[in-house]
Amino acid sequence: MKIAFAGKGGVGKTTLCAWMGDYLARHGQDVLMVDADTALSLGQANGVKHEELPLPLSLREDLVRERIGSGYMHLNPDVSDLPDELSLKLPVDNGSAGRKRLLVMGSVSGAGGGCACAANVLLKSLLAHLIIRESAWVLVDLEAGVEHLGRGTVADVDALVIVSEPSMRSLETAARVGALASELGLARQALVLNRCSGEPDIPAMDGLPRQTMYLPMIPELAARQLTEASVLGLTGRERIDELCAELVRRIQAA
Ligand SMILES: Nc1ncnc2c1ncn2[C@@H]1O[C@H](COP(=O)(O)OP(=O)(O)OP(=O)(O)O)[C@@H](O)[C@H]1O
Ligand SMILES: [Mg+2]
């Protein structure tokens, strides 16, 4: 299954994406996590040190030039070797046969420096390739907001997880993301209300997914933030695993 994680800034998209990837890999699945943000935080959330992260594909001018060209652009570049070539293997604990890889792609909307346009073509081609051809689970951690969703390829994922805090402003963004995704034909959606106390009623808003799950504030994670970027290996992992399992069930059924 191919799942994208969207929502307003800072709501927990990257955290949830990292948890989901880890949960699936520990349960024997082949997982390819795609960092489609500019902040490189998905790697760090997975416990990879900043200096060990590969340069995002959006900044690999060598590859952009090689695959897309610099004058006349190849709009259908061959990218089939790139997932293996560029992804970083991440460890999976508990000896599972699962596999976890990280592909640092960079932002589709802000791709590249001097060759933004060509970089965008390469990123979109790779994303489309992953979504259509890749047999592994593909989890795409999107940048905050809604803009990138209008750009086509992301809308071809199987499901969208929209993360929000229990606040009006965050829910408004969630509703805009949901509405835009629906317009693009992406009907399988779930809302995860993060850092939530209990299961509050949510104000009715057009665009919010009907499926809603609640995730509490996790004090152990909050306490750890100052010293560590990883969100994995928490003592309360079973509860998070249960949430991931339920989320997968719900989006598969949606
Ligand atoms: N349920 C939770 N309990 C405690 N801390 C949390 C929880 N969810 C997320 N966090 C912490 O909140 C911070 C923001 O989370 P995260 O980076 O996942 O958000 P994001 O939506 O990906 O942000 P951005 O828009 O910047 O990409 C992180 O430090 C994360 O560890
Ligand atoms: Mg993030």
Side-chain angles (χ1 to χ4, degrees):
M1 213 178 185
K2 318 293 190 292
I3 309 173
F5 295 77
K8 194 171 158 53
V11 292
K13 301 176 293 295
T14 300
T15 302
L16 194 59
C17 183
W19 282 341
M20 181 65 91
D22 192 58
Y23 160 75
L24 290 168
R26 277 187 288 105
H27 288 77
Q29 303 296 310
D30 185 6
V31 183
L32 181 62
M33 279 186 280
V34 180
D35 189 346
D37 196 358
T38 41
L40 301 178
S41 56
L42 184 58
Q44 291 182 284
N46 273 289
V48 182
K49 292 197 188 77
H50 192 268
E51 58 273 21
E52 289 165 3
L53 285 168
L55 195 64
L57 177 58
S58 57
L59 300 178
R60 288 283 306 269
E61 291 192 25
D62 55 330
L63 266 176
V64 173
R65 208 170 306 118
E66 177 193 303
R67 301 298 164 102
I68 308 293
S70 41
Y72 173 77
M73 287 204 289
H74 302 283
L75 296 178
N76 266 320
D78 181 10
V79 292
S80 52
D81 59 323
L82 293 184
D84 277 342
E85 194 69 32
L86 301 177
S87 61
L88 190 67
K89 258 186 122 180
L90 301 178
V92 180
D93 63 355
N94 88 353
S96 153
R99 188 157 78 125
K100 194 163 69 162
R101 289 171 294 159
L102 171 73
L103 188 65
V104 183
M105 215 173 71
S107 154
V108 178
S109 47
C115 54
C117 192
N120 250 317
V121 172
L122 185 59
L123 258 57
K124 283 186 173 184
S125 302
L126 179 57
L127 198 52
H129 172 82
L130 292 176
I131 290 171
I132 296 161
R133 303 257 173 260
E134 177 65 51
S135 58
W137 287 76
V138 175
L139 307 180
V140 187
D141 180 24
L142 294 171
E143 62 191 301
V146 294
E147 192 210 350
H148 47 278
L149 264 181
R151 296 180 181 239
T153 31
V154 171
D156 296 329
V157 292
D158 302 307
L160 184 68
V161 172
I162 305 177
V163 188
S164 176
E165 289 189 330
S167 75
M168 196 69 185
R169 278 179 47 211
S170 184
L171 282 165
E172 277 168 0
T173 301
R176 287 218 310 280
V177 171
L180 188 52
S182 297
E183 269 172 39
L184 296 168
L186 179 47
R188 258 187 202 161
Q189 301 180 11
L191 175 69
V192 174
L193 223 51
N194 190 13
R195 295 196 195 90
C196 201
S197 156
E199 299 192 357
D201 287 337
I202 302 169
M205 284 183 201
D206 284 345
L208 281 185
R210 273 182 299 112
Q211 291 286 351
T212 306
M213 300 198 55
Y214 301 87
L215 178 62
M217 165 78 166
I218 298 175
E220 184 189 354
L221 178 57
R224 187 206 254 200
Q225 297 303 297
L226 267 178
T227 52
E228 217 185 304
S230 169
V231 301
L232 304 183
L234 296 167
T235 52
R237 187 164 84 177
E238 286 75 27
R239 171 74 190 86
I240 293 166
D241 282 357
E242 278 167 25
L243 174 108
C244 290
E246 180 62 20
L247 189 53
V248 168
R249 266 196 296 278
R250 291 211 195 178
I251 52 184
Q252 279 175 337

